[in-house]
Amino acid sequence: MDYSHLGSRDRLLLAAIHLIAERGYHGVTTQEIASAAGLSEKTLFRHFGTKQNLLESAFDRYHYAEEMRLLFKEKLVGDLEKDLLSISKTYHEIMNRNRKLIQISIKDEVQLPGFKERTMHHPLQLLDFLANYLVEMEKKGKAVCADPKLQAFTFMMSQFGAFVNDLEAGRNYPGIELESFMQESTKLFAKALAP
Amino acid sequence: MDYSHLGSRDRLLLAAIHLIAERGYHGVTTQEIASAAGLSEKTLFRHFGTKQNLLESAFDRYHYAEEMRLLFKEKLVGDLEKDLLSISKTYHEIMNRNRKLIQISIKDEVQLPGFKERTMHHPLQLLDFLANYLVEMEKKGKAVCADPKLQAFTFMMSQFGAFVNDLEAGRNYPGIELESFMQESTKLFAKALAP
DNA sequence: TTATAATGTCAGTACTGACAGACAATGCTG
DNA sequence: CAGCATTGTCTGTCAGTACTGACATTATAA
């Protein structure tokens, strides 16, 4: 990775995220992180004091919910399949942008308080948005939802599962691309939820 | 955990699985594993030689595919929703029985060659089984499948996502139980795949 | 140019963790 | 009981690994 155009602090943060996501918190040394950032170990400690604080600072880069709120407010067109596809695409975009932090949070060997909470806060919100959306669609007669929350949850789990599966370089199931999964899964759910 | 009724070897294996699943390979010491097993560290090394070999031995306990093959051969009744529910239940049973090993394999900080392969081999087989099943159902006029492999994949991903989500004590999404998820998700897919 | 801030170097501390050897204690088994 | 296997204890080695301090070097900006 090339971090050369960034300031020292950012280079250290990115190197840490990259390496810890790959090998875990205890699997990486501060020396390695510093080298990957093209800096000395000393500089790392001057900036962050401790290894743990370095990781905590890295997590402050996690963001997510705002975009989703925007999506639900502005981009949906009232067509079940198209909207689900929009949601799916936005979801994967966000997840991929933060994929390394999410990887770390899944591995989660470090018991930094609030990590999981912080990364889970946003999916929870998405679940709410989606369930509400389904209720709205039902009112318009464009969907039938006996249990909107569970149905929204099922949709999210399929997307989440595909994302986790894709985390490991996506080569777990040969011949299946994320793109075509998004198409197919939204088509399936659109049909399942259609009146 | 109480391993007192087992032999030393098994106690060590179970303790290792338990602790490594929770805190990761590098997050646990051989000393801790031995103590958790109620044995001395020396005994651990007498049995396994190295920490890595201990983990490898633990992974030999992973099994999976045979049950699934049996399920597809004998337990399916030709009703889409019922069969999907059977599959879902068996899937979660197996995954839960091996949940700690799967957790380790997901965290995967250790690059023990063949770990991921061994745990991924079986889901791959399940995907095949399921796709074939859908083709059969289509022939009987009980399902429509434009792309059975992708559709099977979507179903599996929803189950896998729910499983991963449930891995962390299932408290990520309050108020949603795995049991009702299985009901709802299979119902949804049955409708999506119905003619 | 000069003062100041940011970085590097290097040696070192304190601690941890995987693993080995020697020997004693305990069990089981014939 | 005698013998053998299993385990415990204690001590130790060796290689990391987070983190520090002293001092030198470079870059930046007034």
Side-chain angles (χ1 to χ4, degrees), chain B residues 8 40 43 46-47:
Chain B
S8 301
S40 75
T43 302
R46 272 198 271 251
H47 275 287

Side-chain angles (χ1 to χ4, degrees), chain A residues 87-104:
Chain A
I87 294 169
S88 172
K89 283 193 166 159
T90 310
Y91 175 82
H92 286 286
E93 249 177 62
I94 295 174
M95 294 296 268
N96 271 311
R97 189 161 55 244
N98 295 291
R99 70 158 40 208
K100 303 212 166 157
L101 289 175
I102 293 166
Q103 251 176 311
I104 296 175

Side-chain angles (χ1 to χ4, degrees), chain A residues 34-149:
Chain A
S35 293
L39 296 165
S40 75
E41 199 187 4
K42 186 77 211 185
T43 302
L44 186 159
F45 282 105
R46 272 198 272 250
H47 276 287
F48 299 100
T50 68
K51 185 185 183 185
Q52 174 153 336
N53 183 53
L54 168 63
L55 181 55
E56 275 173 32
S57 306
F59 255 78
D60 290 340
R61 312 201 138 214
Y62 187 69
H63 52 291
Y64 178 124
E66 212 37 53
E67 267 163 298
M68 272 295 171
R69 175 176 287 120
L70 222 73
L71 172 68
F72 276 89
K73 253 196 179 155
E74 303 191 351
K75 296 228 182 99
L76 301 186
V77 298
D79 176 277
L80 200 51
E81 187 174 338
K82 282 180 190 160
D83 288 346
L84 287 179
L85 188 56
S86 292
I87 294 169
S88 172
K89 283 193 166 159
T90 310
Y91 175 82
H92 286 286
E93 249 177 62
I94 295 174
M95 294 296 268
N96 271 311
R97 189 161 55 244
N98 295 291
R99 70 158 40 208
K100 303 212 166 157
L101 289 175
I102 293 166
Q103 251 176 311
I104 296 175
S105 153
I106 287 178
K107 298 190 199 238
D108 187 49
E109 355 152 16
V110 207
Q111 68 295 35
L112 301 181
F115 266 44
K116 192 130 283 169
E117 287 67 21
R118 237 189 294 177
T119 46
M120 283 322 283
H121 168 71
H122 303 306
L124 264 173
Q125 224 160 25
L126 174 53
L127 182 62
D128 266 356
F129 286 150
L130 188 50
N132 287 336
Y133 169 78
L134 291 181
V135 172
E136 290 306 313
M137 289 297 278
E138 182 165 40
K139 279 187 194 154
K140 291 184 197 161
K142 292 181 176 174
V144 305
C145 321
D147 192 334
K149 193 160 185 182

Side-chain angles (χ1 to χ4, degrees), chain B residues 51-93:
Chain B
K51 185 185 182 184
Q52 174 153 336
N53 184 53
L54 168 63
L55 182 55
E56 276 175 28
S57 306
F59 255 76
D60 290 340
R61 313 200 138 214
Y62 188 70
H63 52 290
Y64 177 122
E66 211 36 55
E67 268 164 297
M68 273 294 170
R69 175 178 286 119
L70 222 74
L71 172 68
F72 276 88
K73 253 195 178 156
E74 303 190 353
K75 296 226 182 102
L76 301 186
V77 298
D79 176 275
L80 200 52
E81 188 175 337
K82 282 179 191 161
D83 288 346
L84 286 179
L85 188 55
S86 293
I87 295 168
S88 171
K89 282 191 168 160
T90 311
Y91 176 82
H92 285 286
E93 249 177 63

